[in-house]
């Protein structure tokens, strides 16, 4: 999979490249409209991540250019404005997903994976991870083909940890992923309870305990001990 | 407004009375004495004329006193006095007791001397001053009536003129009292023929322009700052996320990173809240529809069950009636979300939240600790409330801003450790 990231803030571009490279994608980055335009014409990419606000042009125009050339490619736009208008304009221009700054890299990663699955693995709605399999349409998780009986939030939590496998996923990132409205509840204790319940349910079905707690920071799904 | 105007009138009228009354009293006194002086002169002149007549009669006829009494019949009497004593003409007031009226009456008399047939007499001529006195009184009372009529007339004219003159002022006042910074429609003042009001209107127009410019600048500033901060916050957040992945985390460094994370998270939240506030102010939530607040509340509660459960907070939703409000859906969700998350955040372990919806109002009360700050300050923009680590202190400002936009009323009350926020949706 080949990804092009267009982001004028170099540091942010670097960190996106770094994070996504760990997923065995071939990642390229560029910081300006012109450079991005050239790359779009010369090379082929499967996914584009495009910041709307570029110093030398509007990212939405890039989206149209990508669409002209390759109607199949996945496009995620990044906006600093969390406004509905931008979102609608972005989705109308032909992008597949929309993410607002500041975002978690784990969230971006999950979005790209979802996008890739939608675009390129047609038919398969099952995500397998060792003895766990997730039915992404039915929100069902099974261990060794046996239904675990997770709630929707628990399922989403497990899914989010699995797509960010071997990475530490921060608590804030999980909370924002599970409750996108992001109200300020002052405490992450409920997340801890959630993870504990999830863990219990999985191990009860004979699943290995893949979820590691990283003290004070978050959780990590990993099959190495 | 009416009362204020009357106050001004009363003030000017008071000043008028303050000057007019002493002037009137003094001039009335002066007038009285002047009038009395004039009448006295006149009476004296007539007494002298009588005396002249008597003298002439005596000189021409050389009659004796009896003859004189017979012929001249004005009020006088004669008194014998020693030969060598001479009385010069002398006028004075005397009081004579009137047995009929049973009171003293003023009399003007003239004393003089007269030789009749070689005998020396003092002649005393008298004229009653009663009529003259009453004339003075009637003139004086007429002047008083005149003064009262004049005063009434002047005040009537003043009220009338004031009504007319203050009309443009009232219009201006009405316009500026309706003015709100940032609201569309800068008040246009009508032209008035009165120079002072023209100046006032000009000064107000300038001031309003300045207020609007400042307000716009402030809005833009907040908007720009929060937008500009988005990128550095994103960079910071991404870098920390990478850092977390890279190093083998020792517990101590995990602690440090967790603090950085928490602080960063708060920064993100404050920034988001500021962006939201400026968006509401910039009226970026224009669309409106009938929104069922009761279903928004129910949805919020069911989707945030975990957050309530973890602190064992009991929610009482017995009295949730249907409440439909015409407003923007996103803002309605933000309003409810902020109120409810607020009531969880400031709640205590095993606490309680009670939600009641009446026909036009929403009540959300929660148990909690006593408030350290002035409750009204909580609603002010950019007032930082409390020390809770994840609180931005902007939640209630957002609530207030949304309510302001739609003309809803927000009321905060607390009874011991139960805090209630009431929102009236009647516009």
């Amino acid at each position: 999979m080949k990804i092009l990231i267009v982001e004028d803030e170099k540091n942010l571009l670097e960190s996106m490249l770094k994070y996504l490279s760990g997923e065995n994608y071939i990642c390229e980055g560029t910081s300006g409209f012109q450079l991005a335009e050239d790359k779009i014409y010369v090379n082929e990419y499967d996914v584009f991540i495009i910041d709307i606000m570029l110093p030398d042009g509007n990212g939405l125009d890039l989206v149209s250019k990508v669409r002209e050339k390759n109607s199949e490619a996945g496009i995620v736009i990044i906006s600093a404005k969390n406004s509905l208008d931008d979102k609608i304009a972005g989705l109308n221009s032909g992008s597949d997903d929309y993410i607002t700054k500041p975002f978690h890299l784990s969230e971006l990663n999950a979005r790209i994976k979802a996008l890739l699955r939608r675009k390129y693995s047609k038919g398969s709605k099952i995500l397998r991870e060792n003895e766990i399999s997730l039915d992404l349409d039915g929100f069902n998780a099974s261990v060794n083909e046996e239904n675990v009986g997770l709630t929707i939030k628990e399922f989403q939590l497990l899914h989010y940890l699995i797509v960010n496998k071997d990475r530490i996923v921060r608590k804030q990132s999980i909370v924002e992923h599970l409750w996108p409205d992001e109200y300020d509840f002052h405490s992450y204790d409920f997340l801890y309870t959630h993870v504990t319940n999830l863990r219990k349910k999985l191990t009860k079905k004979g699943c290995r305990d893949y979820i590691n707690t990283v003290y004070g920071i978050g959780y990590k799904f990993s099959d190495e001990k | 407004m009416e009362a204020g105007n009357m106050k001004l009138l009363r003030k000017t009228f008071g000043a008028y009375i303050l000057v007019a009354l002493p002037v009137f009293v003094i001039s009335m006194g002066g007038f009285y004495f002047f009038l009395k002086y004039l009448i006295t002169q006149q009476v004296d002149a007539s007494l002298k004329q009588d005396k002249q007549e008597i003298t002439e009669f005596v000189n021409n006829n050389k009659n004796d006193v009896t003859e004189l009494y017979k012929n001249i019949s004005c009020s006088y009497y004669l008194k014998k006095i020693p030969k060598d004593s001479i009385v010069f003409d002398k006028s004075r007031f005397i009081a004579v007791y009137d047995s009929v009226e049973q009171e003293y009456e003023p009399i003007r008399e003239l004393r003089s001397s007269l030789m009749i047939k070689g005998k020396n007499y003092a002649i005393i001529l008298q004229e009653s001053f009663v009529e003259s006195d009453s004339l003075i009184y009637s003139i004086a009372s007429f002047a008083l009536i005149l003064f009262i009529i004049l005063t009434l007339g002047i005040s009537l004219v003043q009220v009338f003129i004031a009504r007319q003159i203050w009309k443009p002022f009232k219009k201006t006042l009405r316009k500026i009292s309706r003015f709100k910074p940032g609201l569309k429609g800068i008040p246009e003042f009508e032209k008035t023929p009165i120079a002072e009001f023209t100046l006032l209107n000009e000064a107000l127009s300038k001031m309003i322009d300045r207020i609007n410019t400042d307000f716009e600048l402030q809005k833009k500033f907040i908007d720009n700052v929060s937008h500009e901060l988005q990128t550095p916050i994103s960079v910071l957040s991404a870098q920390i996320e990478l850092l977390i992945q890279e190093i083998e985390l020792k517990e101590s460094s995990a602690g440090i990173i967790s603090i950085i994370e928490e602080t960063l998270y708060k920064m993100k939240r404050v920034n988001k809240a500021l962006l939201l506030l400026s968006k509401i102010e910039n009226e970026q939530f224009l669309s409106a529809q009938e929104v069922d607040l009761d279903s928004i509340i129910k949805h919020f509660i069911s989707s945030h069950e975990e957050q309530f459960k973890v602190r064992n907070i009991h929610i009482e939703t017995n009295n949730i009636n249907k409440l439909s409000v015409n407003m923007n859906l996103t803002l309605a969700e933000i309003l409810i979300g902020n109120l409810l998350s607020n009531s969880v955040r400031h709640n205590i372990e095993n606490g309680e939240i009670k939600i009641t919806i009446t026909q036009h109002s929403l009540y959300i009360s929660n148990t909690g600790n006593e408030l350290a700050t002035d409750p009204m300050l909580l609603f002010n923009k950019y007032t930082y409330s409390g020390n809770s680590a994840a609180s931005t202190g902007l939640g209630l400002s957002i609530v207030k801003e949304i309510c302001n936009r739609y003309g809803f009323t927000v009321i905060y009350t607390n009874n011991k450790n139960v805090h209630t926020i009431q929102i009236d949706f009647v516009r």
Side-chain angles (χ1 to χ4, degrees), chain B residues 180-199:
Chain B
K180 261 188 197 166
L183 224 65
K184 271 177 203 115
I186 298 157
E188 289 262 350
F189 301 115
E190 273 169 45
K191 280 207 171 100
T192 107
I194 297 160
E196 283 85 348
F197 290 153
T198 312
L199 283 174

Side-chain angles (χ1 to χ4, degrees), chain A residues 74-89:
Chain A
I75 306 173
V76 180
I77 53 173
I78 301 171
S79 165
K81 286 184 188 164
N82 181 19
S83 78
L84 204 63
D85 292 344
D86 264 19
K87 197 169 194 162
I88 292 166

Side-chain angles (χ1 to χ4, degrees), chain B residues 72-115:
Chain B
I72 308 267
S73 61
C74 64
S75 164
Y76 67 96
Y77 62 91
L78 296 169
K79 229 164 61 180
K80 256 186 215 164
I81 49 167
K83 230 178 200 146
D84 50 347
S85 68
I86 299 163
V87 180
F88 294 102
D89 284 4
K90 203 177 162 194
S91 305
R92 59 167 190 166
F93 282 108
I94 54 162
V96 174
Y97 190 76
D98 183 341
S99 54
V100 183
E101 299 278 332
Q102 290 200 333
E103 60 184 13
Y104 285 94
E105 281 181 353
I107 302 261
R108 185 72 176 168
E109 64 168 34
L110 177 69
R111 278 172 183 263
S112 194
S113 50
L114 188 67
M115 289 285 281

